[in-house]
Amino acid sequence: MSRELLKGNVAIAEAALRAGMYAYFGYPITPQTELLEHLARRMPELGRVFLQAESEVAAINMVYGAACAGVRTMTSSSSPGISLMQEGLSYIAASDLPCVVVDVMRGGPGLGNILPSQADYFQVTRSAGHGDYHPIVLAPASVQEAVDLTVLAFDLADQYRHLVILAADGLIGQMMEPAELPPMRDLPAERPAYALTGAKGRPPRRIASFYLQAEAEEAYNLQIQARLARIRQNEQRSAEYFTDDAQFLVVGYGTVGRIALSAVRQLRAAGVPVGLFRPITLYPFPEARLRALAERVAGILVVEMNAGQMLEDVRLAVLERAPVHFYGRMGGAVPMPEEIVGALRQLLPTEVLS
Amino acid sequence: MQHELIFAGFGGQGIMFGGQLLAYAAMDGGYHVTWIPSYGPEMRGGTAYCTVVIADQEIGSPVVKHPGIGMIFNAPSFDKFVPMLQPNGLLVYNASLIPQQTERQDLTILPVPATERAPTPQLTNMVMLGALLTAKPILSLEALKAALEAHMPSHRRNLLEANLAALQIGVQLAEEALERL
């Protein structure tokens, strides 16, 4: 297979349709607009649905409808647009419907700016809307990983009948990098058994997100929790660099994960035994592996493009096994490898440094 | 091996495509490569820049604080980016539009009258790329030409010969400039 030089946004769009996305609904917002632009051309070519909605609120509810009809469906936006979608996300989750949402995160809060950020970590991992649930959240660190995780997102969504969010940042969206696209999959010949397809000749089906009695709503909540337990059991994913003999660990995801790799390489070249742990799933957080690594390092530095959000998950995973420190940039500022090296040098015990 | 470049100038000088073309050539040569555009609240006539990293291993950071190679196309970018270049780096600059000089003594500096010698101003980028690969063959000129042929959008193919000619002008200008160094 051949590699192509692809912009992250375009790569995600093309990977989604090749994974069998039949209907896309969205609304333009920088830094993800090329995703919409690519699909505006490609989806009609394939005889599929592309619709630019009048707002993000409309787009997510159109996704809700398409998911009820049993097709692979997706929307994409950037941070303020994802905020607008919160109610729809919760309704979709509470209807056990599979769908994929792409968040190409930008600086915030508020209108913020269009530069790269990871300040949506809480927004996408904690619940994405009201109620007790978590979406599955995937965080690519390269254009190739964005392609691969887009395909995985659709598969996980169908497997668990669950909402999956691809959490990229503006840099992944805007960057061009060689990547290999997946083969074009055929659309499934049949709709799933829950799909609302018109009840002609069969008993009606029902999809709803409410149970008026506490007992029924609680029983349903327990189902969600059981599903989330399975997801936590089976789907924790992460990548590691130089962890075999690491005495100090950096933890970063997405763009920051790869910037931290440069920092770790610089220190390794100077003989300093540091390693990198890069979560690929933000929910479920890869706590099992991180906990094991925490047993044998002197300390951990979490780096994020926010004020310390994944930091909470790292602390919950690590507890008292190792001290956990933080370095972050906010508002669209991207940490440079030199900054991470500087932060590490301040933290490293002298015996590790020498 | 890792090379980090910044292409900077203003809109219309082919800054973005210049960086992309180098990225295509790097990819076709089997290297790892990243290309990042500046995409802040840009305005027409303002500064545009992109960063290219080429390496023979998985690229860590695609953002670079001190690029080793500066491809500087206009005067505002000269003031902004020349101080940021890596010690002992290479500066290729468009002398047609950049009257100022730098006080840095550690750089290899290649002034190229790119805009005035380009067949059209839009081909300034090709002259600059020809000069770059002559001064520092991080990729071969042949690889860049092949990438141009392979990846030029179909609606621009009528400009292929002019692009190749502009590359050659850059080669010649660099050879002349290198003799003067």
Side-chain angles (χ1 to χ4, degrees):
Chain A
M1 286 296 288
S2 64
R3 297 190 306 162
E4 298 173 49
L5 189 67
L6 294 167
K7 196 172 233 208
N9 284 330
V10 172
I12 293 168
E14 183 65 25
L17 68 86
R18 290 182 184 212
M21 175 177 65
Y22 177 77
Y24 172 91
F25 310 89
Y27 188 81
I29 180 171
T30 307
Q32 68 80 50
T33 297
E34 295 89 352
L35 204 163
L36 194 91
E37 188 184 5
H38 184 78
L39 293 174
R41 182 173 58 79
R42 288 284 282 145
M43 294 295 270
E45 273 177 13
L46 296 167
R48 302 185 191 176
V49 176
F50 170 88
L51 199 153
Q52 181 175 323
E54 71 271 32
S55 72
E56 289 86 347
V57 176
I60 192 64
N61 283 290
M62 290 173 183
V63 167
Y64 188 9
C68 286
V71 298
R72 285 195 156 181
T73 182
M74 182 175 100
T75 186
S76 61
S77 189
S78 178
S79 310
I82 300 293
S83 298
L84 280 166
M85 294 181 184
Q86 297 289 304
E87 180 196 51
L89 295 174
S90 180
Y91 279 45
I92 289 169
S95 304
D96 302 330
L97 290 170
C99 76
V100 175
V101 174
V102 180
D103 180 6
V104 184
M105 296 181 274
R106 61 186 241 179
L111 190 60
N113 61 37
I114 61 178
L115 297 165
S117 168
Q118 297 178 323
D120 291 9
Y121 186 92
F122 285 154
Q123 166 161 260
V124 296
T125 62
R126 285 304 182 266
S127 74
H130 58 283
D132 266 319
Y133 83 101
H134 301 270
I136 295 171
V137 183
L138 310 174
S142 66
V143 173
Q144 183 66 62
E145 200 168 55
V147 166
D148 299 343
L149 292 183
T150 299
V151 177
L152 178 67
F154 279 100
D155 291 345
L156 290 176
D158 278 351
Q159 181 185 341
Y160 292 99
R161 284 181 61 180
H162 202 77
L163 170 64
V164 181
I165 296 182
L166 187 76
D169 59 69
L171 218 119
I172 297 288
Q174 293 297 316
M175 179 171 60
M176 290 181 94
E177 210 176 16
E180 189 178 321
L181 288 163
M184 184 72 101
R185 285 193 202 163
D186 292 333
L187 295 178
E190 288 182 11
R191 309 273 188 92
Y194 59 80
L196 306 184
T197 56
K200 196 173 179 184
R202 63 160 173 78
R205 297 166 183 164
R206 177 177 178 277
I207 294 176
S209 72
F210 62 90
Y211 299 87
L212 296 181
Q213 303 300 322
E215 294 79 4
E217 185 69 66
E218 186 173 53
Y220 171 68
N221 266 274
L222 288 169
Q223 277 180 40
I224 297 184
Q225 294 306 316
R227 186 197 310 157
L228 289 173
R230 284 205 312 281
I231 290 170
R232 282 197 300 273
Q233 182 70 35
N234 299 331
E235 306 300 343
Q236 296 183 22
R237 288 172 168 82
S238 57
E240 289 175 37
Y241 305 80
F242 305 104
T243 49
D244 284 350
D245 60 342
Q247 294 177 33
F248 206 93
L249 198 62
V250 185
V251 183
Y253 60 95
T255 287
V256 172
R258 65 187 293 167
I259 295 173
L261 175 59
S262 288
V264 167
R265 280 181 181 153
Q266 278 182 38
L267 285 167
R268 279 279 171 175
V272 182
V274 291
L276 170 66
F277 181 77
R278 181 168 67 79
I280 293 172
T281 50
L282 302 184
Y283 190 92
F285 189 72
E287 57 189 4
R289 182 61 191 153
L290 181 59
R291 191 173 294 137
L293 289 171
E295 295 283 3
R296 47 184 165 93
V297 296
I300 291 172
L301 176 68
V302 176
V303 187
E304 296 181 79
M305 290 192 285
N306 61 41
Q309 298 190 17
M310 178 183 69
L311 175 63
E312 292 189 0
D313 284 332
V314 172
R315 285 190 171 137
L316 285 169
V318 170
L319 295 176
E320 302 302 318
R321 291 174 182 84
V324 177
H325 308 273
F326 180 72
Y327 181 78
R329 296 294 303 269
M330 287 166 279
V334 178
M336 291 287 168
E338 293 82 355
E339 294 170 53
I340 301 174
V341 169
L344 278 165
R345 282 199 176 278
Q346 290 201 339
L347 289 169
L348 289 167
T350 41
E351 65 270 21
V352 175
L353 270 174
S354 55
Chain B
M1 173 279 251
Q2 179 154 318
H3 297 292
E4 297 152 353
L5 301 94
I6 184 153
F7 289 71
F10 43 59
Q13 290 183 304
I15 302 296
M16 297 300 169
F17 184 69
Q20 280 175 14
L21 181 60
L22 197 68
Y24 277 118
M27 175 181 74
D28 293 346
Y31 294 105
H32 296 264
V33 60
T34 57
W35 173 94
I36 295 179
S38 59
Y39 74 97
E42 312 296 354
M43 59 183 180
R44 184 177 296 206
T47 300
Y49 65 93
C50 64
T51 306
V52 178
V53 179
I54 300 170
D56 57 7
Q57 65 170 348
E58 179 184 350
I59 293 171
S61 178
V63 292
V64 178
K65 194 171 184 183
H66 301 295
I69 299 173
M71 297 281 282
I72 307 298
F73 285 58
N74 70 355
S77 303
F78 191 92
D79 293 337
K80 183 172 178 185
F81 293 112
V82 172
M84 292 164 65
L85 293 179
Q86 217 174 75
N88 307 313
L90 169 66
L91 167 64
V92 181
Y93 75 93
N94 180 13
S96 304
L97 299 180
I98 301 174
Q100 66 264 52
Q101 310 223 319
T102 173
E103 287 173 7
R104 287 188 65 169
Q105 301 292 318
D106 62 322
L107 300 173
T108 302
I109 299 175
L110 204 69
V112 181
T115 301
E116 58 202 275
R117 298 289 296 276
T120 67
Q122 288 81 6
L123 290 168
T124 302
N125 55 357
M126 293 299 136
V127 178
M128 292 283 282
L129 279 169
L132 165 70
L133 296 185
T134 306
K136 192 174 169 94
I138 54 173
L139 300 168
S140 73
L141 198 66
E142 294 315 309
L144 196 80
K145 287 178 181 170
L148 193 59
E149 288 209 49
H151 302 287
M152 209 167 177
S154 53
H155 64 284
R156 295 263 190 249
R157 292 209 78 83
N158 56 325
L159 299 172
L160 181 62
E161 287 307 317
N163 275 267
L164 293 172
L167 271 176
Q168 210 52 49
I169 292 169
V171 171
Q172 191 191 330
L173 291 174
E175 283 169 353
E176 290 168 17
L178 288 168
E179 273 176 32
R180 284 195 296 273
L181 283 184

